[in-house]
Each structure stands twice: as C-alpha cells, then as structure tokens.
Amino acid sequence: PILAKQDVRENLNYLYSKDLAKAVWSHTSGTTGTAIIFPLTREIFQREYAFRQLHYSWGGVSLDQRDKIVSIAGHKVVSINKDKPPFWVTDYINNWLYFSSYHLSEHNMRSYIVKLDRFNPKMIHGYPSSLFLLAIGYEKYGNGSLSLKSIYSSSETLLESQRRKIEGVFGVKVFNWYGTSEMNVNIVECEYGELHLKCEHSFVEILNTNNKPCKPGETGRIISTNVGNHYFPLIRYEVGDSITLSKVQKS
C-alpha cells in the first residue's frame, strides 16, 4: 500500500529502528505541513552526497577536490536580528561559504557581493529566489572577476525568468536539482537542459489519481522507496509533490 505522509507523521515511533546509536538526524522542511524528524544511516547520507558529486561534475565542479562553493539556501548561519555583516560563515574543511538567505536586502547587498568576489567560488548553489536576488545585486555591484563554472538551484520551482536573469548576469548555466530531505528521490538537469530521474538512486513511481503508472506527457504523484536507510524505511512513500513526464521518452 501507498504510505501517506500524514500516516508517517502520526506513526513515527513505529517506523524508527530500535537501534539508532549511529544515526544522523534530519528533518523535512515542513512546507507541506508539520515537519518530520527522522534518522538516516551514514550509508544513505554518503550515497546522497555521491549522487550530488555526480551531478556537480556535470557542471565542472568537484566535491572531493574541495572546489570553492557558495551556498545560499536557507541556512540559519547568523542571528536573524543581525543588521551588520558578516551575514555568512565559512566551512574551511569543505571549502564552502554559507550565505544567509534571510538578510538579503538592498541595504545589505553590497557586502554580499564584495564577499562573493573575494571568495571567487567555482559554483553557487541555492534557492532560485535567493540566486535571483544575488544576480540582481551582482549586476549592480559585482566587479566581473568571478571564475564560475556553474550554478545549481534546488528546493523551489525555478522560473524561466529567474533562470534567464541568473544565467545572463553570471554567464554560466543553471543546473536544476530536485531531491527530498528523506533522501528518496533524485531528479537532475543535465547540460542539455533535460531533467533525468536517477533510477539507480531509489525506486520511484509516478502514479495518477487511480494509482496507475502515468503515461508519457501525463502529470502524476511521486511515490518512492529509498535504498539503504534501514533506520527509517519508507516503502512506496508519497512525497507530496507531482511531476509531468516528458512526452517523448528517451533512453
């Protein structure tokens, strides 16, 4: 049977493994209701980042080589009441700079852009809305010295108007990425602008309202089964999002 998100919320303790000594704890965003707190195995955590490394490599960026990356994706890195820079923190181990999405404003934008130019990342990752504002700021205050390879967007719907602005200002391709906190779906954009469901990441079904598989061109619900998370197994889990299959199915 299909596992509804509401059923998961109401029966969390029954879904948890009894042995959680080595668990990595995570949570959903809560955008479709109350957030779910759940454990992950280290294996599935590593697996997820292996798939991210694969996707980033399509845009010329390497995680294992510690390429410089800026992330602006809702991380609460400084107090929400802070009114003076810095509005960021540095992860020196991984060579990432985390910008706060919550302090992006016309008043603060120059300080963001000065820091961005000084850090000079190979890639910027973030929410489309934050990337869009950063592009507007860079158009006004940037010195044009960035040596970016690519930009990656996630967590929100990427509008075509946002894509045009971001790519136009920074001069590199935006790669769109879809995943879940539960780490049970992976849909990624390639260099040709096509979106690909990574079937080796997890088992995913796209079902219509009658719980039948969708045909090419139809829109359906995402039903997924993750691989490797025996701390919190989700089998035929309804994520709460829908996608439209391409009319032409390519091998």
mmCIF file of all heavy atoms in Angstrom, residues 47-48 51 183-186 198-203 225-227:
data_model
loop_
_atom_site.group_PDB
_atom_site.id
_atom_site.type_symbol
_atom_site.label_atom_id
_atom_site.label_comp_id
_atom_site.label_asym_id
_atom_site.label_seq_id
_atom_site.Cartn_x
_atom_site.Cartn_y
_atom_site.Cartn_z
ATOM 1 N N ARG A 47 25.652 8.061 0.319
ATOM 2 C CA ARG A 47 25.105 7.764 -1.009
ATOM 3 C C ARG A 47 24.517 9.029 -1.647
ATOM 4 O O ARG A 47 24.741 9.303 -2.825
ATOM 5 C CB ARG A 47 24.033 6.679 -0.879
ATOM 6 C CG ARG A 47 23.347 6.284 -2.170
ATOM 7 C CD ARG A 47 22.217 5.297 -1.893
ATOM 8 N NE ARG A 47 21.490 4.945 -3.102
ATOM 9 C CZ ARG A 47 21.826 3.960 -3.919
ATOM 10 N NH1 ARG A 47 22.879 3.228 -3.660
ATOM 11 N NH2 ARG A 47 21.114 3.704 -4.997
ATOM 12 N N GLU A 48 23.788 9.778 -0.833
ATOM 13 C CA GLU A 48 23.186 11.012 -1.338
ATOM 14 C C GLU A 48 24.251 11.974 -1.849
ATOM 15 O O GLU A 48 24.120 12.578 -2.913
ATOM 16 C CB GLU A 48 22.360 11.679 -0.239
ATOM 17 C CG GLU A 48 21.681 12.981 -0.641
ATOM 18 C CD GLU A 48 20.438 12.779 -1.483
ATOM 19 O OE1 GLU A 48 19.976 11.626 -1.609
ATOM 20 O OE2 GLU A 48 19.925 13.777 -2.025
ATOM 21 N N PHE A 51 25.733 11.049 -5.184
ATOM 22 C CA PHE A 51 24.911 11.476 -6.311
ATOM 23 C C PHE A 51 25.023 12.981 -6.540
ATOM 24 O O PHE A 51 24.960 13.446 -7.677
ATOM 25 C CB PHE A 51 23.453 11.061 -6.092
ATOM 26 C CG PHE A 51 23.178 9.654 -6.547
ATOM 27 C CD1 PHE A 51 23.325 8.577 -5.681
ATOM 28 C CD2 PHE A 51 22.805 9.389 -7.860
ATOM 29 C CE1 PHE A 51 23.104 7.275 -6.105
ATOM 30 C CE2 PHE A 51 22.582 8.097 -8.295
ATOM 31 C CZ PHE A 51 22.721 7.034 -7.417
ATOM 32 N N MET A 183 15.730 11.794 1.399
ATOM 33 C CA MET A 183 16.737 11.194 0.518
ATOM 34 C C MET A 183 16.192 9.978 -0.220
ATOM 35 O O MET A 183 16.797 8.895 -0.225
ATOM 36 C CB MET A 183 18.014 10.831 1.298
ATOM 37 C CG MET A 183 18.694 12.035 1.906
ATOM 38 S SD MET A 183 20.282 11.680 2.677
ATOM 39 C CE MET A 183 20.762 13.320 3.262
ATOM 40 N N ASN A 184 15.029 10.175 -0.850
ATOM 41 C CA ASN A 184 14.430 9.052 -1.567
ATOM 42 C C ASN A 184 14.000 9.393 -2.991
ATOM 43 O O ASN A 184 13.300 8.598 -3.612
ATOM 44 C CB ASN A 184 13.241 8.491 -0.761
ATOM 45 C CG ASN A 184 12.171 9.524 -0.503
ATOM 46 O OD1 ASN A 184 12.413 10.720 -0.648
ATOM 47 N ND2 ASN A 184 10.993 9.090 -0.114
ATOM 48 N N VAL A 185 14.403 10.555 -3.501
ATOM 49 C CA VAL A 185 14.159 10.907 -4.907
ATOM 50 C C VAL A 185 15.331 11.749 -5.390
ATOM 51 O O VAL A 185 15.851 12.564 -4.635
ATOM 52 C CB VAL A 185 12.862 11.727 -5.100
ATOM 53 C CG1 VAL A 185 12.589 11.944 -6.590
ATOM 54 C CG2 VAL A 185 11.667 11.067 -4.443
ATOM 55 N N ASN A 186 15.749 11.553 -6.638
ATOM 56 C CA ASN A 186 16.814 12.358 -7.217
ATOM 57 C C ASN A 186 16.494 12.626 -8.685
ATOM 58 O O ASN A 186 16.471 11.707 -9.497
ATOM 59 C CB ASN A 186 18.159 11.636 -7.074
ATOM 60 C CG ASN A 186 19.350 12.516 -7.383
ATOM 61 O OD1 ASN A 186 20.214 12.166 -8.172
ATOM 62 N ND2 ASN A 186 19.425 13.694 -6.784
ATOM 63 N N LYS A 198 16.941 9.779 -11.628
ATOM 64 C CA LYS A 198 18.058 8.854 -11.422
ATOM 65 C C LYS A 198 17.538 7.572 -10.767
ATOM 66 O O LYS A 198 17.425 7.468 -9.543
ATOM 67 C CB LYS A 198 19.125 9.514 -10.547
ATOM 68 C CG LYS A 198 19.723 10.788 -11.137
ATOM 69 C CD LYS A 198 20.422 10.528 -12.463
ATOM 70 C CE LYS A 198 21.704 9.764 -12.266
ATOM 71 N NZ LYS A 198 22.382 9.458 -13.557
ATOM 72 N N CYS A 199 17.225 6.599 -11.599
ATOM 73 C CA CYS A 199 16.604 5.357 -11.121
ATOM 74 C C CYS A 199 17.544 4.524 -10.251
ATOM 75 O O CYS A 199 17.084 3.711 -9.444
ATOM 76 C CB CYS A 199 16.123 4.536 -12.316
ATOM 77 S SG CYS A 199 14.859 5.374 -13.294
ATOM 78 N N GLU A 200 18.858 4.711 -10.400
ATOM 79 C CA GLU A 200 19.799 3.964 -9.568
ATOM 80 C C GLU A 200 19.900 4.559 -8.158
ATOM 81 O O GLU A 200 20.508 3.970 -7.268
ATOM 82 C CB GLU A 200 21.179 3.909 -10.226
ATOM 83 C CG GLU A 200 21.884 5.245 -10.367
ATOM 84 C CD GLU A 200 21.579 5.974 -11.666
ATOM 85 O OE1 GLU A 200 20.405 5.973 -12.074
ATOM 86 O OE2 GLU A 200 22.513 6.548 -12.252
ATOM 87 N N HIS A 201 19.314 5.719 -7.952
ATOM 88 C CA HIS A 201 19.315 6.361 -6.634
ATOM 89 C C HIS A 201 18.261 5.750 -5.718
ATOM 90 O O HIS A 201 18.506 5.499 -4.541
ATOM 91 C CB HIS A 201 19.054 7.862 -6.796
ATOM 92 C CG HIS A 201 18.888 8.622 -5.514
ATOM 93 N ND1 HIS A 201 17.700 8.648 -4.802
ATOM 94 C CD2 HIS A 201 19.756 9.396 -4.810
ATOM 95 C CE1 HIS A 201 17.840 9.407 -3.731
ATOM 96 N NE2 HIS A 201 19.082 9.865 -3.713
ATOM 97 N N SER A 202 17.063 5.479 -6.270
ATOM 98 C CA SER A 202 15.936 4.969 -5.494
ATOM 99 C C SER A 202 14.875 4.450 -6.457
ATOM 100 O O SER A 202 14.939 4.712 -7.658
ATOM 101 C CB SER A 202 15.352 6.073 -4.605
ATOM 102 O OG SER A 202 15.169 7.265 -5.358
ATOM 103 N N PHE A 203 13.910 3.726 -5.919
ATOM 104 C CA PHE A 203 12.822 3.227 -6.759
ATOM 105 C C PHE A 203 11.666 4.218 -6.698
ATOM 106 O O PHE A 203 11.122 4.484 -5.626
ATOM 107 C CB PHE A 203 12.351 1.850 -6.291
ATOM 108 C CG PHE A 203 11.252 1.278 -7.148
ATOM 109 C CD1 PHE A 203 11.514 0.808 -8.420
ATOM 110 C CD2 PHE A 203 9.947 1.246 -6.686
ATOM 111 C CE1 PHE A 203 10.509 0.301 -9.221
ATOM 112 C CE2 PHE A 203 8.928 0.731 -7.470
ATOM 113 C CZ PHE A 203 9.209 0.257 -8.746
ATOM 114 N N THR A 225 10.549 4.711 -2.928
ATOM 115 C CA THR A 225 11.105 3.782 -1.948
ATOM 116 C C THR A 225 12.600 4.037 -1.871
ATOM 117 O O THR A 225 13.299 3.921 -2.878
ATOM 118 C CB THR A 225 10.844 2.317 -2.360
ATOM 119 O OG1 THR A 225 9.430 2.090 -2.433
ATOM 120 C CG2 THR A 225 11.460 1.358 -1.362
ATOM 121 N N ASN A 226 13.081 4.433 -0.676
ATOM 122 C CA ASN A 226 14.502 4.741 -0.577
ATOM 123 C C ASN A 226 15.336 3.464 -0.451
ATOM 124 O O ASN A 226 14.810 2.377 -0.202
ATOM 125 C CB ASN A 226 14.789 5.715 0.573
ATOM 126 C CG ASN A 226 14.425 5.176 1.937
ATOM 127 O OD1 ASN A 226 14.338 3.974 2.148
ATOM 128 N ND2 ASN A 226 14.219 6.073 2.889
ATOM 129 N N VAL A 227 16.623 3.624 -0.653
ATOM 130 C CA VAL A 227 17.539 2.484 -0.627
ATOM 131 C C VAL A 227 18.587 2.728 0.453
ATOM 132 O O VAL A 227 19.282 3.732 0.425
ATOM 133 C CB VAL A 227 18.231 2.310 -1.995
ATOM 134 C CG1 VAL A 227 19.235 1.181 -1.943
ATOM 135 C CG2 VAL A 227 17.206 2.064 -3.090
#
